[in-house]
Amino acid sequence: RELHDDTIQSLVALSRQLEALATSAGSNPDLQRRVAELQTSTGEIIKRVRRFSQDLRPSILDDLGLLPTLEELTSNMDRQDGLRADFRVKGEERRLSSEMELTLFRIAQEALNNVRKHADATHVVTTVELTDSAVKMTVEDDGKGFHPPTLTDHPTVAGKLGLIGMHERARLLGGSLSVTSAPGGGTKVVVNVPV
């Protein structure tokens, strides 16, 4: 909300000031060209900040919950990245606490971004299994896999800060996260969280 209400509004105000400057530039073609370039840059920044703020907490998450949001996330991946992305639900569908939904969404988002950027996969399946006492979420791909870092590896040296963040998010919910992978064998991320 702060990104939208503060940052984006400031950028929109800047864009309007640039429009006024373009009008007052008169017949100076160099100044008109430079102002037009700045307007284009500002417009692109506004789009990126909007996308970023929506990615942080999409409105569908608050409105409809975790399951429709994950379905939308995987379907966008399928459309935009040409990667076959399936979403499955096991158990009785229901809403979870706001904190749990946001945290599980961010873990799934990070796992799917890793698939998109690093896995060279052709297929990824995201599964959410709901029981009376727990939620289990699995993101599994058929990509090239990797050697997951061990607990003794420093995360920045291993280049796996995203994995560390997913572990920390799961722990904040009192849950656990495991990553199973091997070169040539795909990757499976499993999150277990008590309800």
Side-chain angles (χ1 to χ4, degrees), residues 49-83:
V49 172
R50 277 195 175 122
R51 193 171 335 128
F52 178 67
S53 66
Q54 288 168 350
D55 286 348
L56 281 175
R57 189 181 189 108
S59 60
I60 186 175
L61 185 63
D62 292 325
D63 298 340
L64 301 177
L66 177 67
L67 301 178
T69 304
L70 290 179
E71 187 172 17
E72 178 72 17
L73 185 64
T74 54
S75 121
N76 282 343
M77 196 172 191
D78 193 69
R79 277 193 313 271
Q80 295 170 1
D81 300 302
L83 177 65

Side-chain angles (χ1 to χ4, degrees), residues 1-35:
R1 285 187 187 122
E2 286 178 18
L3 279 172
H4 182 270
D5 294 344
D6 183 38
T7 308
I8 290 178
Q9 296 308 318
S10 297
L11 288 166
V12 168
L14 174 62
S15 182
R16 290 193 179 128
Q17 291 171 353
L18 287 170
E19 284 176 27
L21 183 59
T23 304
S24 67
S27 61
N28 185 334
D30 288 337
L31 183 57
Q32 287 177 337
R33 181 185 49 75
R34 183 67 185 130
V35 169

Side-chain angles (χ1 to χ4, degrees), residues 30-49:
D30 288 337
L31 183 57
Q32 287 177 337
R33 181 185 49 75
R34 183 67 185 130
V35 169
E37 289 170 359
L38 290 170
Q39 284 178 294
T40 301
S41 294
T42 304
E44 289 302 313
I45 292 168
I46 290 170
K47 285 180 192 172
R48 288 198 306 268
V49 172

Side-chain angles (χ1 to χ4, degrees), residues 77-118:
M77 196 172 191
D78 193 69
R79 277 193 313 271
Q80 295 170 1
D81 300 302
L83 177 65
R84 203 168 98 232
D86 295 323
F87 178 67
R88 300 176 184 153
V89 178
K90 296 178 181 178
E92 189 175 332
E93 294 187 22
R94 66 181 188 275
R95 291 293 304 257
L96 305 167
S97 73
S98 176
E99 177 189 7
M100 185 176 288
E101 287 189 339
L102 178 60
T103 303
L104 289 172
F105 167 74
R106 300 289 291 150
I107 291 170
Q109 185 182 46
E110 178 69 27
L112 291 169
N113 279 337
N114 287 342
V115 172
R116 178 186 294 119
K117 292 178 186 175
H118 308 296

